[in-house]
Amino acid sequence: MTVTLADVAARARVSPATVSRVLNGNYPVAASTRERVLRAVDELDYVLNGPASALAAATSDLVGILVNDIADPFFGIMAGAAQSAIGDTGTGRAGGEKLAVVCNTGGSPERELTYLTLLQRQRAAAVVVTGGALVDPDHIAALTAKLTKLGDAGTRVVLCGRPPMPGDAVAATLAFDNRGGARSLTEHLLSLGHRRIGYVAGPVERSTTRDRLDGHRDAMTAAGLDGPGLDRLTVYGRYTRASGYDATRELLAREPSLTAVVAANDTVALGACAALREAGLRIPDDVSVAGFDDLPFSVDAVPSLTTVRLPLHEAGVRAGRLAMGADTPPPGGVSTIRGELMVRASTAPPRA
Amino acid sequence: MTVTLADVAARARVSPATVSRVLNGNYPVAASTRERVLRAVDELDYVLNGPASALAAATSDLVGILVNDIADPFFGIMAGAAQSAIGDTGTGRAGGEKLAVVCNTGGSPERELTYLTLLQRQRAAAVVVTGGALVDPDHIAALTAKLTKLGDAGTRVVLCGRPPMPGDAVAATLAFDNRGGARSLTEHLLSLGHRRIGYVAGPVERSTTRDRLDGHRDAMTAAGLDGPGLDRLTVYGRYTRASGYDATRELLAREPSLTAVVAANDTVALGACAALREAGLRIPDDVSVAGFDDLPFSVDAVPSLTTVRLPLHEAGVRAGRLAMGADTPPPGGVSTIRGELMVRASTAPPRA
DNA sequence: CTGTTAGCGCATTCAT
DNA sequence: ATGAATGCGCTAACAG
């Protein structure tokens, strides 16, 4: 019923071993023979049996890319870039093709572990884990253990847009400088003259939330604005528009004379804008707003959003190449990627 | 080095077959034995060898979800919904877990075919193909052939948000009523009194583009507004913000007295808004704008966008369940999903 | 309910 | 440069 390598061998009048060799291209084969085999493959419309191949070779051509939220362009951009970098590395022939796939954890630590197990089960060639991590020590330990096993089994593990992990389970990590970016963003607001700045944070248990908030606090503290007021003007939520909306209303209730709102990311910032507008406040005339990430829609927002640009596409490509072994890991295994402050129309000096 | 099923069997003092049976759970096993085996699995930290399992069983637990653009929430929402529907069908035990993965074709027909081959190679349990199709007959033929082979090999093929295909290669298709939705959208504009309506279409070779444009033309024709003017006020582009921006400038150049712009989707509509605003036109006072899809950001746009809501999440979940065989296909194999007109602030009667 | 026996389709030694 | 033989780890008949 289904065509096997042996069928191809018979048609090409060679041994199965030879067919295997031309297909994998890692071995010297006479040009004429190769030609004949390739023709038989074509005529029979043969497709390699992946599981059989993976079983015999003890490794598969599967590369997994884990994301927290596939509906969020933040992850989509990174994943898409990684996926194309991995696909493009192929020789074009069917031989070197990797199957780069993205797995959506939905931010759930259990699903993260489950996907990793599934990938381990498939003997994945590499795994790219993207986005902020959970700060919970138990989960970090479990994750580290799982990644170590993957690494020991020959799977190359790459972290992208995620803080480094302890141990040597990870081949390479590309970390974003969330703290530094957040600090420069708040410094920008401070330099405009703002003093009563609200902060809409993400989920408290995520490293990204912590890092960005830390950066914000660094700037506030350096300006002598630390103290209890800082906590009072910080509201935690999720990385959604609705969360930004709700948190901003809360902020407004706590401090009606707010002159600026810094959001954990661009999506949250949009929700903040909606809440401010609804309260009859103009942006940036009455209140300035800033985001983080610089997703594609941010430049089109009205007014266009001041934010910190993260080179998501570039990071994804680098992670993909690292996963393929096409690039060598940075010294020490960790590379920190900086964000760039994008000053646009949503921030201005506070009203006099 | 690596723990195998035989190791588990030895530790649990049963035969390998029994271990296999408790792991797959599709066979009666005494509770005490199962307990012993599970304990051994745990103690040895055993992970099933997917390729070996797939080889022996002639099917894997991999489910592929193909999308045109992973960075576009349109696809992200459908893919995420499908993926969670597939994951949730699992019993919770490691046994029934499917590995739902998304593959990004980038809209390239070659990559679409390549991914399908890769999935075929892996003996995927099911494949969900999302989004608009290429209208090119050659590609449709190639795709049909490939899907037929997949189907013959036991892979369940489901189409989601995509027009039906000829033949019986496909187990089920969930099609969006793009034409009907587009028609009702333009009718809305017409009923407001608009007559000079520009249309910013997507890529000419995509079925989604065609269908939505057809719906628009249906409405225009019914209103007696067909003729050469219709073509003159139609500009093709891509499904991006930049494309909407450029096309709208072009439209404005062709017809400065335009009173409305209908865009192929919400993202394009945002670009259109930017171009109009830059031209000093107010929305909707001077020009009305409408989109399609009702992505999450559309309600937050300023002004909020009139559009046609497509139940992307619901469609994704249905596709996922269909792919798992958890739901039975609709009669005839095809189910058409209607959109819902969402009238918001970006459309208003034209100026007198 | 459980053990035994055969492959599944391919990559890889080892020969030649 | 090519062929023959072996085993990867597991599932699926069959027995019992």
Side-chain angles (χ1 to χ4, degrees), chain A residues 226-299:
Chain A
D226 48 342
L230 236 179
D231 278 337
R232 197 173 58 92
L233 291 187
T234 299
V235 177
Y236 290 89
R238 285 161 302 118
Y239 287 125
T240 63
R241 178 262 173 202
S243 176
Y245 176 88
D246 294 342
T248 301
R249 283 173 59 99
E250 170 67 23
L251 239 25
L252 245 22
R254 292 190 195 171
E255 178 56 75
S257 68
L258 221 53
T259 67
V261 173
V262 178
N265 74 15
D266 290 352
T267 304
V268 172
L270 253 40
C273 287
L276 291 170
R277 226 173 258 120
E278 205 177 277
L281 297 165
R282 287 166 306 164
I283 305 165
D285 313 70
D286 298 316
V287 179
S288 287
V289 175
F292 208 109
D293 293 344
D294 194 23
L295 295 186
F297 59 72
S298 302
V299 66

Side-chain angles (χ1 to χ4, degrees), chain A residues 217-229:
Chain A
R217 292 191 162 158
D218 287 346
M220 295 295 275
T221 302
L225 293 171
D226 48 342

Side-chain angles (χ1 to χ4, degrees), chain A residues 172-232:
Chain A
T173 117
L174 268 24
F176 290 135
D177 179 24
N178 285 308
R179 185 167 185 165
R183 174 171 183 148
S184 64
L185 184 59
T186 295
E187 283 172 348
H188 157 67
L189 254 11
L190 254 14
S191 76
L192 286 174
H194 292 276
R195 287 298 174 272
R196 289 182 302 283
I197 305 177
Y199 192 89
V200 180
V204 67
E205 71 279 7
R206 300 236 146 236
S207 63
T208 307
T209 299
R210 303 269 180 113
D211 294 342
R212 292 181 182 178
L213 186 49
D214 283 347
H216 168 68
R217 292 191 162 158
D218 287 346
M220 295 295 275
T221 302
L225 293 171
D226 48 342
L230 236 179
D231 278 337
R232 197 173 58 92

Side-chain angles (χ1 to χ4, degrees), chain B residues 4-5 17 20 24 46 49 53 56:
Chain B
T4 74
L5 199 157
S20 173
N24 290 309
Y46 170 69
N49 184 319
S53 168

Side-chain angles (χ1 to χ4, degrees), chain B:
Chain B
M1 179 60 207
T2 155
V3 182
T4 74
L5 199 157
D7 298 330
V8 176
R11 195 175 219 302
R13 308 189 141 279
V14 296
S15 74
T18 300
V19 178
S20 173
R21 292 196 264 255
V22 339
L23 255 28
N24 290 309
N26 312 321
Y27 236 79
V29 174
S32 64
T33 315
R34 130 172 292 116
E35 198 59 34
R36 207 141 34 86
V37 169
L38 256 18
R39 190 144 35 82
V41 165
D42 229 53
E43 289 167 351
L44 262 31
D45 204 23
Y46 170 69
V47 174
L48 188 68
N49 184 319
S53 168
L55 174 59
T59 178
S60 81
D61 54 4
L62 199 68
V63 176
I65 302 169
L66 265 59
V67 302
N68 285 341
D69 181 4
I70 198 177
D72 185 340
F74 176 82
F75 292 101
I77 291 167
M78 278 196 294
Q83 199 161 24
S84 71
I86 291 166
D88 290 351
T89 323
T91 55
R93 296 236 63 81
E97 297 288 16
K98 295 283 185 226
L99 212 204
V101 300
V102 0
C103 306
N104 184 32
T105 67
S108 151
E110 295 78 32
R111 294 192 55 163
E112 185 166 271
L113 256 9
T114 300
Y115 267 121
L116 253 14
T117 299
L118 254 17
L119 256 7
Q120 178 183 6
R121 178 183 295 186
Q122 300 294 334
R123 304 298 188 257
V127 168
V128 178
V129 185
T130 67
L134 226 54
V135 178
D136 177 45
D138 287 350
H139 182 246
I140 289 180
L143 195 58
T144 304
K146 179 58 81 181
L147 292 180
T148 303
K149 272 172 218 142
L150 275 163
D152 289 348
T155 298
R156 201 178 276 118
V157 179
V158 176
L159 264 33
C160 178
R162 198 181 184 91
M165 297 197 62
D168 60 344
V170 172
T173 118
L174 266 25
F176 289 137
D177 180 23
N178 285 308
R179 185 167 186 166
R183 175 173 183 146
S184 65
L185 184 58
T186 295
E187 282 172 350
H188 158 67
L189 254 12
L190 255 12
S191 77
L192 286 174
H194 292 276
R195 287 301 173 268
R196 291 182 301 282
I197 305 176
Y199 192 89
V200 181
V204 66
E205 71 279 5
R206 299 236 147 236
S207 63
T208 307
T209 300
R210 303 269 179 115
D211 294 342
R212 292 181 183 178
L213 186 49
D214 284 348
H216 169 67
R217 291 189 162 159
D218 287 348
M220 294 297 273
T221 301
L225 293 172
D226 48 342
L230 235 179
D231 277 338
R232 197 173 59 92
L233 291 187
T234 300
V235 177
Y236 291 89
R238 284 160 303 117
Y239 287 125
T240 63
R241 179 261 172 201
S243 176
Y245 176 87
D246 293 342
T248 301
R249 284 173 59 100
E250 169 66 22
L251 238 25
L252 246 22
R254 291 191 196 172
E255 178 56 73
S257 68
L258 223 52
T259 67
V261 173
V262 178
N265 73 16
D266 290 351
T267 305
V268 172
L270 252 40
C273 287
L276 291 169
R277 223 172 262 120
E278 206 177 277
L281 297 165
R282 287 165 306 164
I283 304 166
D285 313 70
D286 298 315
V287 179
S288 287
V289 174
F292 208 108
D293 294 343
D294 195 23
L295 295 186
F297 59 72
S298 303
V299 67
D300 277 323
V302 179
S304 62
L305 204 58
T306 290
T307 186
V308 174
R309 160 169 295 186
L310 250 26
L312 300 174
H313 186 88
E314 182 204 328
V317 168
R318 282 182 62 188
R321 295 185 55 81
L322 249 10
M324 294 295 290
D327 283 353
T328 54
V334 179
S335 174
T336 298
I337 300 177
R338 309 210 165 285
E340 181 191 357
L341 179 63
M342 307 296 288
V343 175
R344 294 203 274 244
S346 68
T347 51
R351 287 214 291 183

